[in-house]
Amino acid sequence: MIPVTAITRSLSGQAWRWRGGNMDMGGTDSAPGDDLVTQLLMSRGVAREDLERHRRPTLREFLPDPSIFRDMDSAACRLSDAILSNEQITIYGDYDVDGATSAALLILLLRDLGIQARHYIPDRLLEGYGPSGEALVRLAGEGSSLIVTVDCGAMAHEALAAAHAVGVDVIVVDHHKCSSELPLTAALVNPNRLDECDEAAAYGHLAAVGVAFLLAIATVRELRGRGHFEKRKAPDLMRLLDLVALGTVADVAQLKGLNRALVSQGLKIMARRENVGLSALIDASRLARAPTCSDLGFALGPRINAGGRVGEATLGVRLLTTQDPDEARSIAAQLSLLNEERRGIEQEVQEAAEAQVAAQHNRSVLVLAGHGWHPGVIGIVAGRIKEKTGKPALVIALDADEAGNGKGSGRSIAGVDLGSAIMAAREAGMLIAGGGHAMACGLTINPERLSELGDWLDERLAREISGARASQSLLLDLSLSPGGLTTELVETLETAGPFGIGWPGPRIAVGPVRLVKCDLVGTDHVRMVASGADGRSFKAIAFRAAHTELGQALLHGSRGRHLWLAGRAKIDDWASRPAAELHVEDAAFAD
């Protein structure tokens, strides 16, 4: 039998190697007597002397002083002035989950402080990403003397100049990459400012909702310093952490350091169901237990996103800020229906985009474009194609505005900064607009320049992509026989969470096994029952794998052969008795 340590090419073409050393023998920095959770933490880069802080991540241990960020104190001071003088404040958010949760967080904070703030969420199709000068000037004309943009604004030079010209103050709270020249604002709080100090720049992995939470802390501190809470109760900011957790996970922010603490504590708050809208959304998602990190990314987040993608952009903010249970149930139901509609639209666009992939097999960056593609799903489709091909992908909806320009969204692979490349393309004059961060970007382009953009991205990123793909391998944390795959093991592994980008969930290899059953379930999932030499068997499933090299090998090439199966251990609680199962990501022959 081939041991798991000797697999150099799996059924999906990858080499398998240990993350931080062989878990059976102890990692490179761990000792033989270390418990499993200790080994998991150390294999994710935690120093031995820092283990306890990461074992149970709390805000007390990870929260920085908000004042380390440029303009944070100015933003808190201006917001406090507006609160104390009862100014009309509008929160201008992006139409995705990070924007909705950021806007909701500040609205709820201001409500606790006696201010009924307005909100403005632009329509994805009619207005596009980020603040527009027309909207900002209109809000000023309607009486708003302070506008706070969240999850947008860092690159909105023209729009913010228009707002400045009519005398309205704008605070920008963002996390997207900035250019060296900053727009005109009352304050711009963004850990990814190029002029940010090293201490603050270390928090560049924060989602916008995390930055908004830091602004909330700074604002309450400023008001306390002015004696505002001598006769009234200060807001309980911990109650807002459920929103922070949802926005952070849904925006695929790295779950390391502060983000991991925010999500860990936010999940505890969410389990209390104190937010009326979130509680209704949990019910609409048919979750009968407290939400997990995975639920935020795959059940709750997509429903809120559906409003901005194919429905009404304001639904997410309205849901997260309502105090009316009936309204919350109505909006949650509407978002669930929109999410189903979004899935159908997404499937159509994905099939059309995948049809173009073969013609671009020599490209390092896939640039896929089509007429009639719904701009609300192109980001999801780009992510799906990136996962299937292992290449950065841009998916562009042509004729997406009145001028006939294309609106695009991109997703990158680990080690390739697509956002910086898109910003450089904009500065080089190839794009009408563009920006983002390392793993995701958005752009507006004249269709006549699509070929030029593809050539330019290939020339700029080919070496970077080649190196990133060459170093790709499947990282394992543990190997075991089928008898070791138990609910107790899954529960132990989960204590090292929450898991996500930047803090990957444990991946285990189970085997050698034979597949005693292997068939299709749904449209493209591969379902298995595997049995080992120890006489134990378990269920496994490979999601969306039926038409991949891995799925075809499992379905048609594994009969009678021994395999190693690699993936995530989960608990199947649908049956009367919970059991451990494996969500398969890869497999390799063991004979």
Side-chain angles (χ1 to χ4, degrees), residues 261-563:
L262 290 169
V263 173
S264 178
Q265 300 306 312
L267 286 170
K268 296 176 184 177
I269 301 299
M270 194 177 295
R272 301 177 192 171
R273 291 192 172 221
E274 294 178 354
N275 184 295
V276 173
L278 268 179
S279 181
L281 193 66
I282 293 169
D283 288 339
S285 303
R286 289 174 288 198
L287 294 175
R289 47 166 172 72
T292 64
C293 202
S294 177
D295 295 325
L296 306 190
F298 294 101
L300 306 184
R303 283 172 165 79
I304 291 180
N305 255 336
R309 293 186 186 281
V310 298
E312 183 184 339
T314 62
L315 287 174
V317 174
R318 287 170 50 202
L319 175 72
L320 297 175
T321 57
T322 186
Q323 296 173 304
D324 182 344
D326 291 334
E327 182 185 24
R329 283 190 290 270
S330 175
I331 296 176
Q334 187 176 354
L335 287 172
S336 290
L337 290 174
L338 288 170
N339 194 44
E340 290 299 319
E341 180 184 342
R342 184 270 306 169
R343 287 175 178 169
I345 296 171
E346 174 193 328
Q347 182 63 34
E348 292 178 4
V349 175
Q350 184 170 338
E351 291 175 356
E354 286 182 350
Q356 300 180 16
V357 170
Q360 297 191 28
H361 66 278
N362 291 325
R363 287 278 196 196
S364 296
V365 180
L366 300 174
V367 181
L368 313 169
H371 294 279
W373 293 2
H374 196 298
V377 302
I378 54 177
I380 302 175
V381 173
R384 299 271 193 231
I385 291 176
K386 180 262 296 187
E387 291 173 4
K388 284 193 171 185
T389 63
K391 296 180 178 182
L394 291 171
V395 177
I396 300 169
L398 300 177
D399 297 327
D401 62 19
E402 294 180 357
N405 296 310
K407 298 282 187 178
S409 188
R411 298 294 182 268
S412 193
I413 62 176
V416 178
D417 190 341
L418 186 59
S420 291
I422 290 300
M423 287 180 63
R426 175 186 178 179
E427 293 173 358
M430 274 176 284
L431 302 177
I432 298 168
H437 47 79
M439 299 300 289
C441 68
L443 59 89
T444 303
I445 186 171
N446 183 323
E448 295 180 359
R449 309 201 71 167
L450 281 175
S451 179
E452 179 187 2
L453 175 65
D455 292 341
W456 188 88
L457 288 173
D458 265 8
E459 182 177 350
R460 179 184 175 93
L461 296 177
R463 182 176 298 180
E464 193 175 331
I465 292 168
S466 177
R469 297 187 72 191
S471 64
Q472 283 181 347
S473 56
L474 194 78
L475 300 181
L476 299 172
D477 293 288
L478 182 69
S479 68
L480 43 83
S481 62
L485 182 59
T486 64
T487 56
E488 291 78 15
L489 173 71
V490 179
E491 290 168 353
T492 298
L493 295 174
E494 287 299 318
T495 63
F499 301 108
I501 297 295
W503 192 266
R507 185 182 288 117
I508 66 174
V510 186
V513 299
R514 289 181 185 271
L515 299 185
V516 297
K517 181 179 180 181
C518 186
D519 58 14
L520 281 175
V521 61
T523 57
D524 57 354
H525 310 312
V526 180
R527 177 177 55 185
M528 295 156 274
V529 175
S531 179
D534 60 0
R536 304 294 294 273
S537 62
F538 61 92
K539 294 179 180 179
I541 187 167
F543 291 106
R544 293 190 296 273
H547 304 295
T548 66
E549 186 177 352
L550 168 64
Q552 289 297 303
L554 290 171
L555 287 165
H556 306 297
S558 61
R559 186 181 301 275
R561 298 193 64 176
H562 287 91
L563 294 162

Side-chain angles (χ1 to χ4, degrees), residues 68-360:
I68 67 172
F69 297 91
R70 289 189 182 275
D71 281 7
M72 180 67 81
D73 290 341
S74 297
C77 183
R78 179 64 186 90
L79 192 54
S80 296
D81 288 344
I83 292 166
L84 294 176
S85 58
N86 199 33
E87 295 181 45
Q88 181 171 298
I89 303 172
T90 295
I91 310 300
Y92 192 119
D94 188 24
Y95 37 64
D96 68 359
V97 184
D98 193 16
T101 52
S102 300
L105 184 149
L106 291 182
I107 289 169
L108 293 177
L109 169 71
L110 292 168
R111 183 184 295 168
D112 282 348
L113 293 168
I115 299 293
Q116 296 299 319
R118 300 177 61 189
H119 66 262
Y120 188 93
I121 309 295
D123 184 281
R124 181 190 292 264
L125 302 182
L126 300 179
E127 298 176 83
Y129 170 76
S132 70
E134 179 183 353
L136 294 177
V137 170
R138 185 170 65 252
L139 291 171
E142 293 171 355
S144 292
S145 54
L146 176 63
I147 299 171
V148 184
T149 72
V150 288
D151 196 30
C152 59
M155 294 289 290
H157 294 78
E158 293 181 6
L160 295 174
H164 180 77
V166 297
V168 64
D169 286 339
V170 179
I171 295 172
V172 171
V173 179
D174 205 351
H175 70 134
H176 294 98
K177 290 184 178 295
C178 297
S179 60
S180 55
E181 180 183 353
L182 298 175
L184 285 169
T185 63
L188 195 158
V189 185
N190 185 341
N192 289 305
R193 286 176 55 153
L194 296 180
D195 61 348
E196 192 56 276
C197 67
D198 290 343
E199 184 181 6
Y203 294 93
H205 60 289
L206 287 174
V209 70
V211 184
F213 183 70
L214 291 174
L215 175 59
I217 295 172
T219 301
V220 169
R221 183 173 62 183
E222 174 69 19
L223 290 170
R224 181 174 286 110
R226 298 190 192 188
H228 187 60
F229 301 120
E230 292 177 359
K231 296 183 178 180
R232 63 180 296 159
K233 186 179 179 180
D236 179 6
L237 297 180
M238 294 294 287
R239 293 180 58 192
L240 301 173
L241 286 175
D242 50 5
L243 297 175
V244 181
L246 176 57
T248 298
V249 173
D251 211 52
V252 201
Q254 292 189 52
L255 292 192
K256 63 180 184 180
L258 177 57
N259 274 350
R260 190 161 162 262
L262 290 169
V263 173
S264 178
Q265 300 306 312
L267 286 170
K268 296 176 184 177
I269 301 299
M270 194 177 295
R272 301 177 192 171
R273 291 192 172 221
E274 294 178 354
N275 184 295
V276 173
L278 268 179
S279 181
L281 193 66
I282 293 169
D283 288 339
S285 303
R286 289 174 288 198
L287 294 175
R289 47 166 172 72
T292 64
C293 202
S294 177
D295 295 325
L296 306 190
F298 294 101
L300 306 184
R303 283 172 165 79
I304 291 180
N305 255 336
R309 293 186 186 281
V310 298
E312 183 184 339
T314 62
L315 287 174
V317 174
R318 287 170 50 202
L319 175 72
L320 297 175
T321 57
T322 186
Q323 296 173 304
D324 182 344
D326 291 334
E327 182 185 24
R329 283 190 290 270
S330 175
I331 296 176
Q334 187 176 354
L335 287 172
S336 290
L337 290 174
L338 288 170
N339 194 44
E340 290 299 319
E341 180 184 342
R342 184 270 306 169
R343 287 175 178 169
I345 296 171
E346 174 193 328
Q347 182 63 34
E348 292 178 4
V349 175
Q350 184 170 338
E351 291 175 356
E354 286 182 350
Q356 300 180 16
V357 170
Q360 297 191 28

